[in-house]
Amino acid sequence: SQRAEQKIHQDLLERQKAILSLFQPGKQLSFREIFKDLSGSIPERTLRYDLAILRDKKLLSSKGKGRAIVWHL
């Protein structure tokens, strides 16, 4: 439901919202592209942690393995 979706977005940290703002439907980004687009404003380890949280909340998906992983909505 839309209310549940709003609740999920309220629970996100500002940096997680910034990550989500990089994506549009159909757009895929690698970890390096995401890191670069955020101008390195957060440490790599934190970015990996946030991407995992966003995936667990089903806000982002990933495909591929290792360095070949791409992220998408």
Side-chain angles (χ1 to χ4, degrees), residues 15 18-19 22 31-47:
R15 67 177 192 255
I19 293 166
L22 300 175
F31 177 84
R32 284 278 152 225
E33 289 169 322
I34 297 167
F35 187 72
K36 190 178 91 180
D37 287 349
L38 294 172
S39 303
S41 60
I42 60 175
E44 283 190 34
R45 178 167 279 193
T46 303
L47 177 55

Side-chain angles (χ1 to χ4, degrees), residues 42-65:
I42 60 175
E44 283 190 34
R45 178 167 279 193
T46 303
L47 177 55
R48 290 185 196 285
Y49 173 78
D50 285 343
L51 288 169
I53 287 173
L54 294 170
R55 182 177 50 208
D56 291 348
K57 291 185 178 199
K58 302 199 183 319
L59 296 172
L60 281 181
S61 297
S62 63
K63 64 181 177 185
K65 290 188 178 188

